[in-house]
Amino acid sequence: MPLARRALLTLLSGSAALLAAPAVAQTASPRRSGGELTFLIGSLDSGWGLNEKVDSYTGIVWGQLADKIVHVDDKGEATPWIAERWEENAGQSEFILHLRAGPSFADGSPVDARAVAANIELWARGDTSRGVGRLGLFPSSTYKGSEVLDDRRVRVSFTRPTLSFIPTLGYHKTVLRSLASLNLKAEELGNLDRQIGSGPFTLQSWLEGDHVVLRRRPDYNWGPQALAHQGPASLERITFKVVKDAAIRAAALQAGQAQIALNIAPHELRPLKARGIRAVAPDSLGFVSGFSVNTRAPFFDDVRLRQALQHAIDRQEILDTVFTEDWKPVTTLLQPNVPEAADLSALLAYDPEKSNRLLEEAGWQRGADGIRARGSDKLRFNLFASPWVGTSKQVDEVIVQQLQKVGIAARLQVVDIATFNARVRNNDSVPLREISRSFLDAGVVGNVLTDADRGDNWFKLGQSNETLNRLAQDIATAVDRRSRAETLKEAQRYVLEQGLFIPTAQLNQRLYVQAGTVKGEAYSGGGYALYHGAWLDA
């Protein structure tokens, strides 16, 4: 049995705790006030600007500094936070947000309708004059505008049905900031001192790329309705410290120099268990880990090549090598807790004979070196591990070996976030882009299929594929979730049959490895930790 798997099995020792973390940690210990939580994190390199600057790492920090309009749990259910309730018309194109009385930003300004409307406007439209792009998962293409009805009511209108609007308000990037923060000059946007939220903690100090220290806000009293704790946070202080090396994060945790470390490699977990360390992987709504296929890359416009990759990957071997028996194989391109996820495991069956047959039909013949070629072209490419997923490198190492068995030469590249963004995201010579995206509403699926309405166009087909065009349109214009769920299942089947998305394993962007003294933390539907209700046990 591989070392990584043995270590993780030892940590779990008969428990499925790693994959069954509750939305709110359960404990019988009495709540204690005070204490400092030290959280070791792999990166804070994306900076502190607006919208897309909030990434998988900085999103955890923002979850303590800023509130959201709604809270969304791991089943996709939206419940009140800053909005105490909301109304929606029958056509799902107009929403009225009713805001709770009392919340204020850390600068003393109210979290009122004017501030909420301004935040929504910036998420939807961005501000090109200051280099602020629109928020990617916000339904901007159908957005008409936000109208302040009075101090506590905002009307938000869209040009067509927009079922995803309310859940999107709980997204880790839709953090509420004060009007002063929203109106900063371009050169001030990256200054965390000037970014003011209304959360349970405020900024004490920070050093770019090194650390952020937060302190408790004593007058906070407007946490999410779904969470048990109300009033000020119990913790006095939280320190987020950047430690890029996962092994060093593990060593510091073992030495008691921190209470939480994010994304420690499985083989580092065994010695931590004896010290009362536990690992928590909260359920995360979103896409599974896998590759979106760029059909503009050389040769990947051929469906036979894409299908050959789909069946060349042995997903059970990935689980056996990198994860544990508590993990289940992927069955589609969506996480299993997404309500609209389908079971399409038959389309993902490991079948190297079929892969070889498809490759030969497409004209790719094995050479003396075992690598397939067609004329002077070799079937080789670079494969880039996701810098946001701790297990990506280990998974991709297994995949490289599996592809080699059918004559495909993939060379693994491990790069940092900045390099990945620069070399991979919009590079049409890279055929496979590893995706690790969470969401809070499955309507996002329609937005990735084409480039219509500023869609993400994952497969680089634009609007050339009529089936994808129809599916994207039907998802976007649905007025009830039941009919949209059927369309989403059809979309999942078509994308997998066409080999446009290659699932690998269930998504685990955030593995919280933490001391047993950490109690009462909670998690959003995107797997982001909330420490408003947390405390440190003696």
Side-chain angles (χ1 to χ4, degrees):
M1 182 184 295
L3 176 60
R5 186 183 177 205
R6 289 202 309 270
L8 196 48
L9 282 170
T10 301
L11 178 77
L12 297 176
S13 61
S15 163
L18 180 63
L19 295 181
V24 182
Q26 301 297 318
T27 176
S29 302
R31 178 176 298 277
R32 296 177 66 250
S33 181
E36 178 175 349
L37 181 73
T38 299
F39 187 119
L40 306 181
I41 198 164
S43 171
L44 292 174
D45 293 341
S46 290
W48 301 102
L50 307 174
N51 291 357
E52 292 301 323
K53 287 292 185 181
V54 182
D55 69 2
S56 183
Y57 298 109
T58 59
I60 297 174
V61 180
W62 277 118
Q64 324 314 318
L65 280 170
D67 295 319
K68 299 179 180 65
I69 296 174
V70 301
H71 173 72
V72 178
D73 66 15
D74 60 359
K75 298 297 186 290
E77 182 181 357
T79 54
W81 192 342
I82 294 300
E84 61 184 6
R85 63 186 178 90
W86 48 90
E87 303 170 38
E88 48 199 42
N89 68 356
Q92 296 291 319
S93 61
E94 185 175 290
F95 304 81
I96 297 178
L97 305 174
H98 295 258
L99 310 180
R100 63 195 293 178
S104 63
F105 293 102
D107 61 4
S109 61
V111 185
D112 59 9
R114 181 166 166 258
V116 167
N119 274 273
I120 293 173
E121 276 284 314
L122 194 64
W123 299 334
R125 304 190 193 281
D127 183 350
T128 56
S129 70
R130 293 182 294 157
V132 179
R134 67 180 182 89
L135 194 58
L137 289 186
F138 191 88
S140 301
S141 62
T142 61
Y143 179 74
K144 284 176 63 177
S146 297
E147 179 186 358
V148 175
L149 300 179
D150 55 39
D151 285 349
R152 291 177 56 194
R153 292 188 302 154
V154 180
R155 177 187 288 121
V156 185
S157 301
F158 297 86
T159 59
R160 67 185 186 200
T162 308
L163 281 171
S164 63
F165 172 61
I166 293 297
T168 299
L169 300 178
Y171 183 42
H172 74 277
K173 298 188 180 189
T174 52
V175 291
L176 290 169
R177 296 175 173 89
S178 70
L179 288 172
S181 297
L182 297 182
N183 294 322
L184 291 172
K185 295 178 181 178
E187 61 271 19
E188 298 174 315
L189 288 174
N191 186 347
L192 188 55
D193 287 308
R194 307 293 301 277
Q195 295 287 351
I196 308 300
S198 60
F201 294 89
T202 60
L203 181 69
Q204 177 173 311
S205 64
W206 71 293
L207 179 63
E208 184 73 55
D210 183 79
H211 71 267
V212 175
V213 181
L214 309 180
R215 63 174 176 265
R216 173 172 57 192
R217 182 174 173 181
D219 62 340
Y220 186 81
N221 193 30
W222 45 84
Q225 186 183 91
L227 305 188
H229 180 66
Q230 294 298 314
S234 296
L235 294 167
E236 178 65 30
R237 190 174 287 104
I238 302 177
T239 296
F240 291 92
K241 173 65 178 173
V242 174
V243 178
K244 293 186 179 293
D245 188 286
I248 297 176
R249 293 199 296 274
L253 192 63
Q254 186 172 7
Q257 297 171 351
Q259 288 74 46
I260 302 178
L262 189 70
N263 294 345
I264 288 177
H267 68 272
E268 301 286 350
L269 295 174
R270 186 194 306 181
L272 299 177
K273 180 177 180 287
R275 300 185 63 90
I277 302 297
R278 63 191 179 101
V280 183
D283 286 336
S284 177
L285 297 160
F287 295 94
V288 299
S289 289
F291 304 100
S292 64
V293 180
N294 185 345
T295 58
R296 293 179 189 166
F299 320 123
F300 279 81
D301 58 340
D302 191 332
V303 65
R304 293 169 297 185
L305 174 55
R306 303 194 302 265
Q307 291 171 337
L309 263 69
Q310 193 77 284
H311 295 289
I313 294 176
D314 185 347
R315 294 161 179 89
Q316 187 60 51
E317 184 183 15
I318 292 173
L319 297 188
D320 294 342
T321 305
V322 181
F323 302 105
T324 80
E325 64 237 23
D326 297 299
W327 288 72
K328 304 303 180 188
V330 291
T331 64
T332 182
L333 51 92
L334 302 181
Q335 288 279 91
N337 60 316
V338 175
E340 297 87 352
D343 183 355
L344 299 170
S345 50
L347 298 177
L348 306 177
Y350 176 55
D351 191 344
E353 291 185 6
K354 184 173 184 178
S355 294
N356 283 319
R357 183 172 67 254
L358 287 164
L359 291 169
E360 288 166 7
E361 288 175 1
W364 296 100
Q365 303 298 320
R366 284 188 185 270
D369 58 0
I371 301 172
R372 291 185 180 273
R374 192 169 63 185
S376 60
D377 295 317
K378 290 277 192 177
L379 191 48
R380 65 171 80 217
F381 53 84
N382 288 326
L383 188 67
F384 292 86
S386 169
W388 292 278
V389 179
T391 54
S392 178
K393 177 177 179 291
Q394 298 98 309
V395 169
D396 290 350
E397 286 172 342
V398 176
I399 290 172
V400 166
Q401 296 173 6
Q402 293 174 348
L403 295 182
Q404 187 176 16
K405 292 177 182 178
V406 297
I408 299 174
R411 185 174 66 174
L412 181 60
Q413 303 284 305
V414 180
V415 298
D416 60 17
I417 290 173
T419 305
F420 189 95
N421 286 335
R423 292 180 55 189
V424 180
R425 281 196 180 277
N426 296 305
N427 186 347
D428 284 345
S429 69
V430 176
L432 304 181
R433 179 165 67 92
E434 189 159 352
I435 296 295
S436 53
R437 177 181 287 187
S438 58
F439 58 67
L440 297 180
D441 181 81
V444 168
V445 173
N447 192 56
V448 308
L449 302 179
T450 74
D451 63 1
D453 295 325
R454 293 181 288 183
D456 288 345
N457 195 26
W458 273 7
F459 318 123
K460 304 300 183 183
L461 287 166
Q463 297 173 57
S464 64
N465 185 297
E466 290 303 320
T467 300
L468 291 180
N469 292 344
R470 174 181 59 80
L471 290 167
Q473 177 72 9
D474 289 350
I475 293 169
T477 58
V479 295
D480 71 274
R481 296 186 180 277
R482 181 174 297 180
S483 65
R484 191 185 67 168
E486 293 305 312
T487 306
L488 283 165
K489 290 176 181 177
E490 183 185 354
Q492 293 168 65
R493 174 175 293 278
Y494 183 77
V495 166
L496 295 179
E497 285 177 338
Q498 292 294 306
L500 294 170
F501 188 89
I502 313 292
T504 55
Q506 290 181 19
L507 176 63
N508 177 22
Q509 281 183 292
R510 284 164 291 280
L511 174 64
Y512 301 87
V513 185
Q514 56 196 49
T517 55
V518 179
K519 306 291 184 181
E521 81 278 8
Y523 302 93
S524 71
Y528 286 85
L530 301 171
Y531 294 114
H532 167 223
W535 76 94
L536 293 176
D537 200 8

